[in-house]
Amino acid sequence: TYSEWQETYNGTDPARPDYGMTIQSFWLTPDEAKAIDESKFINNSSIVTIVTVKGTKFQEKFLFGGDMETAGWEALLKKPGFKEAVKDIDFFIVSHHGHMSGFSEALFAAMGKKPILNIVSIHLNDEHIDDRYRQEAYTTGTKIAGEDRRILTTRCDGTITIRVDDEGKFWVKLEH
């Protein structure tokens, strides 16, 4: 029924509500990803999403990397608009569970500034997180519960919630 309605609908798109954020998505097609490395095309076909939460005084930008691998990041950096979109990322939800195969020096260079935090969704027994995500060269860090932190992981920190208030200021809550 929906498909039939969609074929005959000739109205305008309804106005989308303003949630106080913008969402941008970038990806490589499966063919583009296969041209880079056929054995890793599924990861490199991930949809990379940038969410910008705008406040009255500040804005916070989140980059969700999916399972993108290094070669995929480098290909995305050649796509129109992507370099501009990743400038000034505040929170990087890193790709490929923090593995070395998803780390990209070129991506961090394109960000222009270091993220406040790198956040990793990691499996309980996976010990392959790339140590560079913790290093000062790739994150500024912030205080959380009185402790200086540069990286958060779901394995060690549990549920990670980042709230952004109406002014655009953030705070982090961890639930073990």
Side-chain angles (χ1 to χ4, degrees), residues 10-31:
N10 61 4
T12 59
D13 286 340
R16 291 193 171 112
D18 181 1
Y19 292 112
M21 68 180 81
T22 59
I23 300 173
Q24 297 173 282
S25 297
F26 296 86
W27 60 89
L28 300 173
T29 66
D31 287 340

Side-chain angles (χ1 to χ4, degrees), residues 5-176:
W5 170 82
Q6 201 173 27
E7 288 176 15
T8 61
Y9 182 77
N10 61 4
T12 59
D13 286 340
R16 291 193 171 112
D18 181 1
Y19 292 112
M21 68 180 81
T22 59
I23 300 173
Q24 297 173 282
S25 297
F26 296 86
W27 60 89
L28 300 173
T29 66
D31 287 340
E32 290 170 323
K34 284 179 184 177
I36 296 168
D37 183 340
E38 188 154 355
S39 69
K40 297 180 180 184
F41 90 92
I42 291 175
N43 287 350
N44 285 326
S45 296
S46 290
I47 297 173
V48 172
T49 304
I50 299 154
V51 177
T52 304
V53 181
K54 297 179 181 178
T56 56
K57 296 181 181 177
F58 309 97
Q59 71 176 19
E60 304 294 343
K61 286 178 80 173
F62 296 77
L63 171 59
F64 295 84
D67 269 345
M68 193 62 66
E69 296 200 17
T70 307
W73 285 120
E74 291 168 7
L76 276 178
L77 286 166
K78 295 175 185 170
K79 287 201 163 233
F82 186 71
K83 267 189 181 179
E84 184 62 32
V86 296
K87 280 185 183 172
D88 300 327
I89 292 296
D90 296 296
F91 301 97
F92 181 23
I93 296 77
V94 306
S95 62
H96 209 240
H97 307 286
H99 291 186
M100 183 183 294
S101 60
F103 190 91
S104 171
E105 295 268 353
L107 174 64
F108 277 94
M111 289 182 193
K113 71 170 191 166
K114 297 179 276 189
I116 296 166
L117 288 169
N118 291 318
I119 301 167
V120 184
S121 173
I122 187 117
H123 303 287
L124 185 59
N125 296 317
D126 187 346
E127 300 298 327
H128 295 99
I129 188 167
D130 191 316
D131 192 53
R132 291 176 287 184
Y133 289 115
R134 313 176 185 280
Q135 295 176 4
E136 188 175 346
Y138 301 102
T139 173
T140 61
T142 191
K143 281 206 182 293
I144 299 174
E147 184 181 346
D148 289 329
R149 299 293 301 271
R150 296 184 183 286
I151 187 172
L152 301 175
T153 69
T154 55
R155 179 177 55 211
C156 295
D157 299 303
T159 301
I160 301 163
T161 304
I162 300 174
R163 295 196 181 270
V164 180
D165 68 17
D166 291 340
E167 290 184 350
K169 292 182 180 179
F170 74 91
W171 67 97
V172 179
K173 179 180 177 185
L174 306 176
E175 295 181 66
H176 301 276

